[in-house]
Amino acid sequence: MVRKGAFLVGLFFAGWLLWSFLVGAYSYVVEPPAKTVEHEFHLAPKHVSFSFDRPLGRYDNQQLQRGFQVFKEVCSACHSLKFVAFRDLAGIGYNEAEIKAIAKNWAIKTPSVDPATGEASTRDGIPADYFPSPFANNVAAAAANNNAIPPDLSLMTKARHHGSAYVYSLLTGFQEQPAELLKHFPDAKTPEGLHFNPYFANLNLAMAPPLSADGQVTYGDGTKPTIDQMSQDVAAFLTWTAEPKLENRRRAGVATILFLLIATGLAYMAYQNIWADKKKAA
């Protein structure tokens, strides 16, 4: 009796799922969903090649240092790197003296208040400090950025699909709205204060083009600082901030695969040796 009851319950739910599927499929065919401007004009990230893309690829420290320079001189005016400490920059080739000099140029807020001005006191940064936010709080950040709070960039490339290519595409994707978009979606005109970018999810974002001209940053290694080059460099740097142990993880993966291959070979030879006499006897 219990089995029959269980069978009938299962049959009921299976029939209900089938009915729901058929009704949904019929509705989709008869009344297909309306096309949206995001569906029509949102673009997948551009194809861009980085040294760390390959299965055994490695970071290019020279590129990461250029990317850090772009972040420091351009992006840090609005964005933070709250999960990255100054001493972590040793991972991209900076020595101890250079890290101390970099940290010293950042003002770190302290809990104390200046009695003369009533403002929070600051001190020079040290290697153990984390990169500070450029704003005191979210209210201040929103007030300075058209009511949009700039996101922290520490893990941005892991938070977005094709993260490195996404950052590169976003930085190089600012443009005027296509005439075709306004023709088919006249109500989708980019609001005042926002900027059209087909690589952003809803096509409009509050951030103005941060890299607006070639030569905006002067590279010490002689690399020509075009918008495309600066975008690639800072995208690579933000990939490193999100995955600083990428190379170690890949090396560990290679070592594990080699170990498993050797262990598999030894196990097979042991099997052959142990069971050889048994097979002959059989």
Side-chain angles (χ1 to χ4, degrees):
M1 187 66 182
V2 175
R3 289 184 177 179
K4 289 183 179 180
F7 174 77
L8 291 175
V9 171
L11 186 64
F12 170 77
F13 279 107
W16 184 263
L17 288 173
L18 179 61
W19 172 256
S20 299
F21 172 77
L22 293 176
V23 170
Y26 175 77
S27 300
Y28 181 85
V29 173
V30 174
E31 298 180 10
K35 293 182 178 179
T36 64
V37 61
E38 292 86 1
H39 180 269
E40 291 293 309
F41 291 92
H42 177 56
L43 301 178
K46 302 176 184 178
H47 174 73
V48 58
S49 179
F50 292 99
S51 62
F52 48 81
D53 285 339
R54 302 183 300 276
L56 298 179
R58 298 171 60 87
Y59 286 125
D60 178 352
N61 281 354
Q62 195 169 22
Q63 181 180 46
L64 298 185
Q65 291 184 14
R66 293 197 304 268
F68 170 63
Q69 185 178 350
V70 174
F71 171 81
K72 179 177 65 174
E73 297 184 18
V74 180
C75 309
S76 65
C78 298
H79 296 279
S80 58
L81 282 179
K82 64 182 180 181
F83 296 119
V84 182
F86 292 109
R87 61 188 174 193
D88 294 333
L89 295 177
I92 62 174
Y94 287 105
N95 59 41
E96 185 177 353
E98 290 172 328
I99 292 173
K100 287 181 178 179
I102 291 170
K104 190 175 181 179
N105 288 327
W106 296 71
I108 307 297
K109 294 182 177 64
T110 64
S112 60
V113 175
D114 187 336
T117 63
E119 297 180 353
S121 299
T122 60
R123 60 170 174 80
D124 293 340
I126 60 175
D129 288 321
Y130 286 77
F131 281 87
S133 171
F135 304 104
N137 51 47
N138 286 344
V139 175
N145 293 277
N146 196 26
N147 290 323
I149 301 174
D152 180 79
L153 298 182
S154 305
L155 304 175
M156 183 56 65
T157 58
K158 289 185 71 69
R160 298 291 184 270
H161 191 51
H162 298 304
S164 306
Y166 168 80
V167 171
Y168 165 78
S169 301
L170 191 73
L171 292 174
T172 58
F174 289 93
Q175 57 188 264
E176 295 294 328
Q177 278 189 301
E180 186 180 358
L181 183 153
L182 296 175
K183 177 181 178 182
H184 294 287
F185 301 93
D187 296 333
K189 182 176 176 60
T190 297
E192 186 176 354
L194 300 183
H195 306 271
F196 179 77
N197 193 314
Y199 299 98
F200 191 64
N202 67 1
L203 306 181
N204 302 301
L205 70 165
M207 180 178 71
L211 300 174
S212 55
D214 293 347
Q216 191 169 340
V217 172
T218 302
Y219 287 142
D221 63 0
T223 301
K224 188 176 181 180
T226 62
I227 292 178
D228 186 87
Q229 183 65 57
M230 291 185 290
S231 300
Q232 287 191 45
D233 293 341
V234 76
F237 172 70
L238 293 178
T239 302
W240 173 80
T241 64
E243 296 190 272
K245 304 298 183 183
L246 176 68
E247 295 178 3
N248 293 341
R249 181 160 51 82
R250 287 177 172 174
R251 283 195 292 266
V254 171
T256 300
I257 291 173
L258 291 176
F259 170 78
L260 290 175
L261 289 174
I262 294 172
T264 300
L266 292 174
Y268 177 75
M269 288 187 288
Y271 165 79
Q272 292 284 50
N273 185 57
I274 293 172
W275 290 96
D277 294 339
K278 305 294 183 183
K279 287 181 179 180
K280 290 180 181 179

